[in-house]
Amino acid sequence: MTNALEALFLGIVEGLTEFIPVSSTGHLLLIGHFIGFESAGNTFAVMIQLGAVLAIMTVYAARLSHVVRAAPHDPAARRFLISVLVAFLPAVFIGVLAHDLIKTVLFETPRLIALMLILGGVILLFVDRFAPEPKHEDAMRLPLSVALRIGFVQCVAMIPGVSRSGATIVGALLMGVGKRAAAEFSFFLSIPTMLGAFTYDLWRNRDVLDAGEAGMIAIGFAAAFVSGLCVVRWLLGYISRHGYAVFGWWRIGVGCLAMTALTLWG
């Protein structure tokens, strides 16, 4: 029962933090470290992200369906789909090559995660205030060169604590993408990225997953889906009005708290 409640709690945390630039994986790994939650092959934090992906697909279902239907005869729709694919490709190659390092070393280094939260928070505060004047306000019309560069920046988030959404949003802002458009493109890019990570991790760990582990993942998955729906519907409006500063301060606070706890209790 305890494990089920822990999985439920971690799933809620995943959904609440996946699409804001605070590192959902960093939060899950740090919380898991302090409460003693264990997952075979460190799969839990990766695989429950699929719940958050389905939340995005639910919110944008009509828009995505329209784009896919229009792609055969609409150059703009095709260009958008290609831009997401181009941005996704760097994560495919680097993720496959670095998978073992990420799961066996970086996922097991809480101090690194805390440090990345703090450093990422400082960067986010700076970029939120001093980003160049936006040149691209439509997430579905980004130049392919911009999309590719955002894709490479996303790969930095393979270090837990960096934040996939944080890396893509900061990269987009520095490339002249507006705040709302940066968040939306990060949403769209999360779909192939996290589907790919889920599928690859499931395949790599197919021999260590048992019924108990699958049950914990299912609970976390459902919780991530519900909480993710709430965040996505709220986030774009908040960003448009207030920017990203609050998330930078949140990262710094959580990172400092984690570093203090690690120093005191290990």
Side-chain angles (χ1 to χ4, degrees):
M1 182 65 176
T2 300
N3 284 343
L5 290 175
E6 290 172 348
L8 177 64
F9 174 66
L10 290 171
I12 293 171
V13 171
E14 159 62 29
L16 293 177
T17 58
E18 179 59 51
F19 301 110
I20 61 177
V22 299
S23 181
S24 62
T25 302
H27 278 67
L28 293 182
L29 293 176
L30 287 174
I31 293 171
H33 172 79
F34 288 117
I35 68 175
F37 183 86
E38 296 183 357
S39 171
N42 280 320
T43 59
F44 183 86
V46 174
M47 296 182 69
I48 67 169
Q49 291 177 343
L50 185 61
V53 171
L54 292 182
I56 278 287
M57 295 176 71
T58 299
V59 171
Y60 284 97
R63 195 167 172 183
L64 291 171
S65 175
H66 171 76
V67 169
V68 171
R69 292 198 309 270
H73 53 80
D74 184 350
R78 283 198 302 273
R79 186 179 183 84
F80 165 67
L81 294 176
I82 292 171
S83 72
V84 173
L85 176 62
V86 164
F88 167 59
L89 289 178
V92 175
F93 294 106
I94 297 175
V96 169
L97 291 174
H99 179 271
D100 290 342
L101 171 67
I102 295 165
K103 295 297 291 294
T104 61
V105 178
L106 300 183
F107 270 42
E108 300 288 351
T109 314
R111 289 186 185 277
L112 174 65
I113 297 170
L115 179 62
M116 289 299 101
L117 283 170
I118 296 168
L119 180 60
V122 172
I123 293 172
L124 187 59
L125 286 171
F126 180 86
V127 172
D128 182 62
R129 183 164 184 176
F130 298 109
E133 192 70 22
K135 296 180 291 185
H136 312 290
E137 295 287 3
D138 188 343
M140 303 185 75
R141 295 181 178 273
L142 297 186
L144 294 182
S145 60
V146 171
L148 179 61
R149 282 181 282 164
I150 292 173
F152 276 110
V153 173
Q154 176 179 240
C155 295
V156 179
M158 292 178 188
I159 303 171
V162 170
S163 171
R164 188 206 60 79
S165 60
T168 54
I169 287 169
V170 165
L173 292 175
L174 291 174
M175 294 170 206
V177 180
K179 291 180 178 180
R180 184 184 178 96
E184 280 202 309
F185 191 77
S186 178
F187 289 171
F188 294 132
L189 181 54
S190 73
I191 296 173
T193 300
M194 294 198 294
L195 282 174
F198 172 89
T199 303
Y200 187 67
D201 215 67
L202 178 62
W203 171 255
R204 287 292 299 267
N205 292 283
R206 63 193 183 280
D207 295 329
V208 300
L209 294 176
D210 56 24
E213 182 78 11
M216 295 303 99
I217 290 171
I219 293 170
F221 170 96
F225 173 75
V226 174
S227 55
L229 276 178
C230 298
V231 169
V232 171
R233 294 183 185 279
W234 162 82
L235 183 60
L236 289 177
Y238 179 88
I239 289 171
S240 298
R241 296 189 302 272
H242 304 291
Y244 295 98
V246 67
F247 305 118
W249 289 115
W250 175 266
R251 292 178 62 104
I252 293 170
V254 171
C256 290
L257 183 62
M259 195 67 80
T260 302
L262 289 167
T263 300
L264 294 175
W265 298 296

